[in-house]
Amino acid sequence: MENNFRMIAKTFFGFEEILARELLVLGAQEIEQGVRMVSFKGDKGFMYKANLALRTALKILKPIHTFRVYNEQSLYKGIMEIKWDNYLNANQSFVIDVTLNSEYFNHSQFVALKAKDAIVDQFRNSYGKRPDINKDHPDLRVNLHIQKDQCSVALDTSGTSLHHRGYRFATNIAPINEVLAAGMLLLSGWDGQGDFLDPMCGSGTILAEAAMIACKIPANINRKEFAFEKWKDWDNDLFDTVVNSLMKKFQEFHYTIKGYDKAPSAVMKAKDNIRNANLDEYVSISQQNFFDTEKETRGPLHMVFNPPYGERLDVDLERFYREIGDTLKQNYPGTNAWFITANPDALKFVGLKPSRKIKLFNGKLEARLVKYEIYEGSKKAKFNTSQPPKGE
């Protein structure tokens, strides 16, 4: 039986707890939360499973070496300590990604160049030839993280960020990141046990992620490639076994998932993306202006959306957010409505008090995921129904 090893799942700020919960459910061991990351242990099969199934992970890294670093000589020496032909052949290619927080180094490209020299020299000394650098499609992606005087070297098991799910070919002017969409849904408590609406669906990302959560479909089942598929120890049979095991957890969905957008171009793109993800039997999308709609379902409704912030789309924020509040209040009783905004001033115009506010980041923009509970009738009436009339 293969030994377990430590891995690191990178994520967005605010998603650490839900990522740790995802890992626990998936079967990870020794889970530890950090900032924008969660570390855990598992074997090679679990490494494949984590890349396929985790909704809120951006990358899965496999640490292979740690050493102290304080100048370019110690960096070169530390990289040379790794037996690189365990991971790479002389006729293959690699690339080095660097993140820095160190008083000794202030230029990531310089660090990458010195580390590259060490790897190349090791191969040249041993084999008389060297692997090439390939920034776009390397056979091995190496991650260097220097924190003060500690250098951690890890292999990037994922390749391109795991938000590249493989279903979204068409996007609008301000598309939401797939990992951010999935994290918002999980934070909102969406579990597929009810009706769902995204009233400003754009290119359909929130809808796709909502459907995959509801049906327990692995987040990256449509993805074309993972970095570990080019590794020397790649096990295609093991990978197929992991895929089949995950797909056996698929469950049927017995409610509705609907999306609206007022732009015909957005509706077309959303439909294309939902079709690419093989989710069109679970998701329906129509061209409608949310402010002209009302709730169509009888039971509780779960709503998650990403309205314009005024950053890349030109909107009258005061009027727009007031209309969001008015539409929710008047037309959507029995709804838990969640949306994200990077404009805290806009929330003042909604005219409703949020029951929750969660700090997140949308790209580099600090944002808030807010929840509005719209009761059947007024809130006051809801809490007075059990009180006997006066005089009794």
Side-chain angles (χ1 to χ4, degrees), residues 200-220:
M200 300 178 188
C201 72
S203 56
T205 307
I206 291 174
L207 295 172
E209 297 296 324
M212 287 196 288
I213 290 169
C215 297
K216 289 190 160 58
I217 296 170
N220 286 303

Side-chain angles (χ1 to χ4, degrees), residues 67 71-77 79-80 84 94-100 105-122 124 130-135 142-144 146 151:
F67 59 94
N71 56 28
E72 63 180 275
Q73 288 80 21
S74 59
L75 173 66
Y76 182 91
K77 181 172 174 288
I79 298 297
M80 274 292 237
W84 285 103
F94 70 102
V95 72
I96 299 173
D97 300 316
V98 177
T99 50
L100 286 178
F105 301 97
N106 53 21
H107 207 296
S108 59
Q109 276 185 308
F110 173 79
V111 171
L113 189 63
K114 282 293 155 196
K116 183 265 301 180
D117 288 346
I119 296 172
V120 163
D121 289 349
Q122 188 183 101
R124 204 182 274 122
R130 49 152 290 184
D132 293 327
I133 294 292
N134 185 329
K135 292 181 179 176
V142 180
N143 185 283
L144 252 63
I146 300 180
C151 179

Side-chain angles (χ1 to χ4, degrees), residues 223-276:
R223 189 177 159 106
K224 299 292 182 283
E225 186 180 59
F226 299 95
F228 55 68
E229 292 179 54
K230 293 184 176 180
W231 287 11
K232 291 176 80 168
D233 68 348
W234 161 240
D235 188 335
N236 197 83
D237 290 341
L238 177 60
F239 182 76
D240 288 346
T241 301
V242 171
V243 169
N244 292 335
S245 149
L246 286 169
M247 289 308 290
K248 280 178 186 167
K249 294 178 179 166
F250 172 85
Q251 67 179 20
E252 281 296 341
F253 178 66
H254 303 291
Y255 299 92
T256 61
I257 297 177
K258 292 182 179 178
Y260 302 152
D261 204 285
K262 67 177 187 179
S265 60
V267 170
M268 278 177 59
K269 288 171 184 173
K271 285 182 174 180
D272 284 347
N273 290 333
I274 294 298
R275 203 175 299 114
N276 293 336

Side-chain angles (χ1 to χ4, degrees), residues 83-337:
K83 197 165 166 31
W84 285 103
D85 59 5
N86 285 341
Y87 311 108
L88 193 63
N89 292 328
N91 59 356
Q92 289 185 300
S93 63
F94 70 102
V95 72
I96 299 173
D97 300 316
V98 177
T99 50
L100 286 178
N101 182 15
S102 169
E103 61 188 87
Y104 304 112
F105 301 97
N106 53 21
H107 207 296
S108 59
Q109 276 185 308
F110 173 79
V111 171
L113 189 63
K114 282 293 155 196
K116 183 265 301 180
D117 288 346
I119 296 172
V120 163
D121 289 349
Q122 188 183 101
F123 274 96
R124 204 182 274 122
N125 294 342
S126 299
Y127 301 99
K129 56 182 180 177
R130 49 152 290 184
D132 293 327
I133 294 292
N134 185 329
K135 292 181 179 176
D136 297 322
H137 299 287
D139 294 303
L140 189 71
R141 189 172 280 273
V142 180
N143 185 283
L144 252 63
H145 181 84
I146 300 180
Q147 179 72 26
K148 296 181 180 174
D149 67 346
Q150 289 292 311
C151 179
S152 301
V153 184
L155 306 183
D156 183 341
T157 79
S158 307
T160 57
S161 168
L162 291 174
H163 81 271
H164 293 292
R165 306 283 206 225
Y167 64 76
R168 193 169 78 176
F169 302 135
T171 60
N172 293 317
I173 194 168
I176 193 165
N177 176 294
E178 291 88 333
V179 166
L180 179 58
M184 286 165 49
L185 287 158
L186 293 172
L187 283 173
S188 79
W190 169 246
D191 59 2
Q193 299 304 302
D195 295 311
F196 182 90
L197 174 66
D198 177 351
M200 300 178 188
C201 72
S203 56
T205 307
I206 291 174
L207 295 172
E209 297 296 324
M212 287 196 288
I213 290 169
C215 297
K216 289 190 160 58
I217 296 170
N220 286 303
I221 199 69
N222 295 297
R223 189 177 159 106
K224 299 292 182 283
E225 186 180 59
F226 299 95
F228 55 68
E229 292 179 54
K230 293 184 176 180
W231 287 11
K232 291 176 80 168
D233 68 348
W234 161 240
D235 188 335
N236 197 83
D237 290 341
L238 177 60
F239 182 76
D240 288 346
T241 301
V242 171
V243 169
N244 292 335
S245 149
L246 286 169
M247 289 308 290
K248 280 178 186 167
K249 294 178 179 166
F250 172 85
Q251 67 179 20
E252 281 296 341
F253 178 66
H254 303 291
Y255 299 92
T256 61
I257 297 177
K258 292 182 179 178
Y260 302 152
D261 204 285
K262 67 177 187 179
S265 60
V267 170
M268 278 177 59
K269 288 171 184 173
K271 285 182 174 180
D272 284 347
N273 290 333
I274 294 298
R275 203 175 299 114
N276 293 336
N278 300 307
L279 296 168
D280 38 338
E281 68 178 286
Y282 304 106
V283 179
S284 63
I285 301 164
S286 56
Q287 185 194 339
Q288 295 195 66
N289 183 337
F290 172 52
F291 304 143
D292 299 329
T293 67
E294 57 185 35
K295 187 180 171 196
E296 295 178 348
T297 51
R298 292 178 65 86
L301 179 65
H302 198 99
M303 185 187 291
V304 180
F305 60 111
N306 175 36
Y309 304 166
E311 285 286 329
R312 285 179 282 181
L313 294 169
D314 187 24
V315 291
D316 177 343
L317 283 177
E318 181 172 348
R319 181 179 169 193
F320 188 81
Y321 278 80
R322 185 171 286 125
E323 284 194 88
I324 288 176
D326 289 347
T327 305
L328 289 173
K329 257 185 303 198
Q330 293 160 20
N331 298 355
Y332 281 87
T335 298
N336 281 332

